[in-house]
Amino acid sequence: MEPGRGPRGAAAAAEIKDGREDQILYLKISKLALAFAIIHSKPPGKSSKEYIEYLAKTVSEQDFGWKWKVEVLEAEVLRLRQELLLNRISPRFCLENRKQDTSAETLLGRESINPTSYSSQLEDSGCDVCNDSAFDSLGIASDFHQSEHNVNTSKHWLERVPPLNLCRSSKEQSLTAPVQFLQCLLEIRKLSEGGILQADFSELENDSFTIWNSVSQLLDGLTVFYKSPKFPAPSFLTEGVSVLISLITDTKLSNHVLKKCFKKMEEFKKNLIQIILRNRSVNRFQALHSVSQTLGLLGRNNILRNSLISLLLLEVRQFAEQLLQAHQVQSVYDITQYENIFLLCMILEQLLQNETQESNISSSDYGGEEKIKFLKNLDQIILHLSDEFPLFSLYLWRVSVLLNSGQMQID
């Protein structure tokens, strides 16, 4: 240590301490002066507390106004980036799209004349969330596959693209804005695949922010609606699920999406699982059915399916262990969660059956570490629970059979 360095360090520390004390004292004096000013300026007939609450409310409303303006500007910036990215991928697509009148009035007028337009096709789908055929149609993206057989010119395709500037309510806009952009990507993909348009999808690698932000907005919007579902299901919710499933099952676009948004997709799946487990509404099963359908549709992507199986195995195993512990000590268990867990069991069984039926099973060890943990001591758990909880024990056994049969085929 250099001579005299210690004293200088101590003097500097003392100076910093004195400065902090001065700041604290100044803050106290400022608060006291503000209190006197409020008391002095309060209108007659109103107490100091009421006047302070009024001022606080006024300031908070001003802050909300600024936050809203910032959100509007951020949304506009994202919209412009989306248009720029689409233009880089396929300039001709954007040029043809600009030639058409894409105002909201013209779009609605076109829909009233042409009943097979994009929006009208989705108007009635998904209204009854318990209708399996409605949600199964989302999984195969019937709108996109049907349109493949009807392509004559690029204009025919472009007429079905919703306008990016269509005005909606703020809650609906949280879904429609990213859906419209991703829908355009899917349209360009189909057109380029048919040889109608030239497209350079390598541009997606140069703008990961736009892709991530758009997909994140879509997933967040779906999560919000699933947490507070409305019946009948709005058409734009059905449209959002349809676009999401089409995106992750497309052989080219899914690679770009998962590369940029895999963590966000994992978060989305975890949120859906927790929505199923934690919902305690009396009339919850209709809403949970639609959530479980969406989880099952996510399993159409092999990468997402493997991670989803692991998540479901974890939740089912943990609940089975908790139920066994409650049964052994004769304590009360969560009956609502017990009822909800069967939805996860059904999804898990469906995913395992699909995995087993695929020809590439030898190349996938689905479940991984969670599979080993799930099968460990499972026979003992089933033995202890079978008398009191026969249906749940049966599901555990069926899942174990599928896991073991998969392992046998791998071996």
Side-chain angles (χ1 to χ4, degrees), residues 195-304:
I196 298 175
L197 276 182
Q198 290 185 349
D200 182 12
F201 288 99
S202 64
E203 290 292 339
L204 294 174
E205 298 292 336
N206 301 327
D207 194 354
S208 58
F209 171 82
T210 302
I211 292 295
W212 182 88
N213 210 318
S214 301
V215 174
S216 296
Q217 282 190 5
L218 174 58
L219 298 180
D220 291 341
L222 290 175
T223 302
V224 169
F225 278 101
Y226 281 137
K227 286 182 177 179
S228 303
K230 293 181 179 181
F231 300 103
S235 60
F236 54 84
L237 176 62
T238 307
E239 183 181 348
V241 176
S242 177
V243 169
L244 175 63
I245 302 306
S246 298
L247 198 64
I248 65 172
T249 53
D250 185 90
T251 54
K252 179 172 289 187
L253 294 179
S254 61
N255 295 329
H256 295 283
V257 172
L258 293 181
K259 184 177 180 180
K260 304 292 190 304
C261 312
F262 182 76
K263 290 184 178 180
K264 191 67 181 180
M265 294 293 298
E266 291 293 290
E267 178 186 338
F268 178 62
K269 290 184 293 184
K270 292 178 182 178
N271 287 336
L272 295 188
I273 291 175
Q274 293 307 312
I275 288 173
I276 292 177
L277 288 176
R278 296 178 181 180
N279 194 318
R280 297 182 176 276
S281 173
V282 176
N283 301 319
R284 64 186 180 276
F285 294 105
Q286 189 179 18
L288 294 185
H289 182 79
S290 64
V291 180
S292 63
Q293 287 280 359
T294 301
L295 272 174
L297 293 173
L298 291 175
R300 292 177 180 269
N301 180 282
N302 291 334
I303 298 176
L304 296 179

Side-chain angles (χ1 to χ4, degrees), residues 160-180:
R160 301 176 64 249
V161 181
L164 290 175
N165 59 351
L166 190 62
C167 297
R168 310 272 184 133
S169 63
S170 58
K171 190 174 182 180
E172 186 175 345
Q173 184 66 23
S174 65
L175 270 179
T176 56
V179 163
Q180 289 166 4

Side-chain angles (χ1 to χ4, degrees), residues 93 97 100 107 110-111 114 116-119 121-122 141-148 150-151 154-163 180 183-184 186-187 190 239:
F93 178 88
N97 205 19
Q100 301 177 41
L107 181 68
R110 184 185 303 137
E111 288 177 353
N114 181 12
T116 60
S117 64
Y118 182 81
S119 298
Q121 284 181 6
L122 295 172
S142 59
D143 294 295
F144 305 126
H145 292 295
Q146 181 181 359
S147 59
E148 285 184 18
N150 299 326
V151 176
S154 61
K155 184 177 181 180
H156 171 76
W157 277 77
L158 294 171
E159 283 178 352
R160 301 176 64 249
V161 181
Q180 289 166 4
Q183 171 64 25
C184 288
L186 288 165
E187 296 288 352
K190 299 302 180 183
E239 183 181 348

Side-chain angles (χ1 to χ4, degrees), residues 30-45:
S30 300
K31 289 181 178 180
L32 186 61
L34 178 61
F36 279 121
I38 291 174
I39 294 173
H40 181 72
S41 62
K42 75 178 182 66

